[in-house]
Amino acid sequence: MPGMTMVQALNDALDTMLALDPEVLVFGEDVGYFGGVFRVTDKLQAKYGPTRCFDTPIAEGGIVAAAIGMAAYGLRPVVEIQFADYILPAYDQLVSEAARLRYRSNGEFTAPITVRAPYGGGIFGGQTHSQSPEAIFAHVTGLKTVIPSNPRDAKGLLIAAIECDDPVIFLEPKRLYNGPFDGRPGQALQSWDGHPAAEVPAGHYTVPLGTAAVVRAGHAVTVLAYGTMVHVAAAAIAASGIDAELLDLRSIVPLDIDAVCASVRKTGRCVIVHEASRFAGFGAELSALVQERCFYYLKSPIERVCGWDTPYPHAFEWDYFPGPDRVAAALRRATEAAA
């Protein structure tokens, strides 16, 4: 199997689906001739033509509205929002139309659209190019929210999202596009070369939505993470020497609650890690679910390691970013607490 970056794996997923299904099309700002600001759609227009891969005006609400109309009549649009921070102009279309279409039509219409968006920090993008908006989509009934952490999963999850008959928000951790990142700034950039998860199968395959992956088995504490934080948590576990079990959720809606509960009931402790702001972030929902379903197994309070409740600061990027030192401290608090 060839080694790929996440950018290449996502491009391969789009290429695979454009070739297999004539109803699939790709559009968004700069995705056609230019190949996308991160080059995820590179060369797709040249290969499939401007009716299958094309550029749009800077109008996120219009992009998603057009996709919903196309989807209602049998197409499977994959649209790119250039940065997840700018998805909010399309929020009304996603919530009021895409998420409700199956329900309000009693199943007569569906909205099989995939909305791709680079998200998260770690690249000095400042407050308008670094946000993590996953919780606002997880709250909306009818939307699915998917977040890969490596190239192999990225391709399989994107193909599964495109084939899904419901709208999927597909958030791509931009800090992982070209290599894994352990959360320690100032180090040389890492490459996906040689990483086991960079071995991406050729052709069509899927990673089913709603299935978590055990990245590391352990018995002392469960760590729940997704996206870039999977790699940060792995670095924190290695540095702390604690026998933690690390789960990559991969999708937060649908959530693999069975895998979460099985792990927490085994370890009796839980640390939740995400980059988004702490208050009302998705970690709060995870904490509530673990509390409700695993209360009698818990040996210590649930820990959350998150971004702070402030706009993402450019000058203080690494004070905001939940790095491995903060995660390791939470692991120690969880495991040292009296049972």
Side-chain angles (χ1 to χ4, degrees):
M1 291 185 289
M4 290 187 180
T5 67
M6 188 179 286
V7 168
Q8 292 169 331
L10 293 165
N11 180 275
D12 193 32
L14 294 171
D15 189 6
T16 298
M17 291 307 296
L18 284 164
L20 287 177
D21 188 347
E23 307 302 333
V24 172
L25 66 159
V26 174
F27 58 95
E29 298 163 17
D30 294 321
V31 305
Y33 177 82
F34 189 62
V37 68
F38 292 102
R39 300 298 188 270
V40 172
T41 57
D42 190 36
K43 296 182 175 60
L44 295 180
Q45 186 179 83
K47 186 172 182 179
Y48 295 100
T51 61
R52 300 285 306 283
C53 179
F54 56 89
D55 296 321
T56 67
I58 302 174
E60 290 81 5
I63 293 169
V64 172
I68 295 168
M70 292 175 181
Y73 284 91
L75 299 178
R76 289 187 178 272
V78 184
V79 301
E80 178 181 305
I81 304 298
Q82 201 166 82
F83 288 87
D85 312 64
Y86 297 107
I87 204 169
L88 293 182
Y91 192 66
D92 178 47
Q93 290 292 332
L94 289 166
V95 174
S96 302
E97 306 298 337
R100 308 290 186 239
L101 188 58
R102 181 194 287 271
Y103 183 88
R104 72 191 294 184
S105 68
N106 195 29
E108 184 176 350
F109 293 98
T110 58
I113 69 173
T114 303
V115 181
R116 296 181 38 252
Y119 95 112
I123 65 165
F124 285 101
Q127 64 178 351
T128 59
H129 294 81
S130 303
Q131 297 173 82
S132 300
E134 65 270 18
I136 67 174
F137 296 109
H139 181 69
V140 179
T141 303
L143 295 179
K144 296 183 178 181
T145 304
V146 179
I147 307 171
S149 71
N150 61 70
R152 184 172 58 232
D153 283 353
K155 179 179 176 181
L157 288 167
L158 182 54
I159 291 175
I162 295 170
E163 294 181 336
C164 180
D165 286 334
D166 291 310
V168 179
I169 309 300
F170 195 91
L171 298 175
E172 302 164 6
K174 65 177 87 73
R175 192 60 177 80
L176 301 182
Y177 269 150
N178 294 303
F181 180 59
D182 65 7
R184 295 187 174 95
Q187 298 185 10
L189 294 177
Q190 292 180 286
S191 167
W192 283 111
D193 288 346
H195 195 288
E199 296 179 357
V200 179
H204 180 280
Y205 71 93
T206 62
V207 174
L209 307 185
T211 58
V214 178
V215 177
R216 183 192 189 280
H219 295 84
V221 57
T222 295
V223 182
L224 306 179
Y226 48 86
T228 303
M229 291 299 112
V230 172
H231 302 272
V232 173
I237 292 167
S240 69
I242 293 171
D243 183 29
E245 180 152 293
L246 174 57
L247 264 64
D248 178 357
L249 298 181
R250 301 200 288 198
S251 69
I252 59 174
V253 179
L255 176 68
D256 191 350
I257 189 62
D258 291 338
V260 169
C261 290
S263 180
V264 174
R265 288 169 181 170
K266 178 176 73 171
T267 67
R269 304 173 193 272
C270 183
V271 173
I272 298 164
V273 188
H274 65 62
E275 191 178 344
S277 298
R278 176 185 173 91
F279 188 83
F282 190 69
E285 178 64 23
L286 288 172
S287 180
L289 289 169
V290 170
Q291 173 78 0
E292 290 167 358
R293 296 167 184 251
C294 306
F295 178 79
Y296 292 107
Y297 295 86
L298 290 171
K299 303 172 184 177
S300 65
I302 299 166
E303 293 277 347
R304 282 187 287 159
V305 184
C306 313
W308 305 117
D309 296 327
T310 176
Y312 212 116
H314 183 275
F316 300 102
E317 175 106 10
W318 303 116
D319 294 298
Y320 182 98
F321 192 92
D325 291 341
R326 285 173 57 192
V327 177
L331 291 173
R332 288 190 289 271
R333 287 194 299 270
T335 54
E336 292 170 4

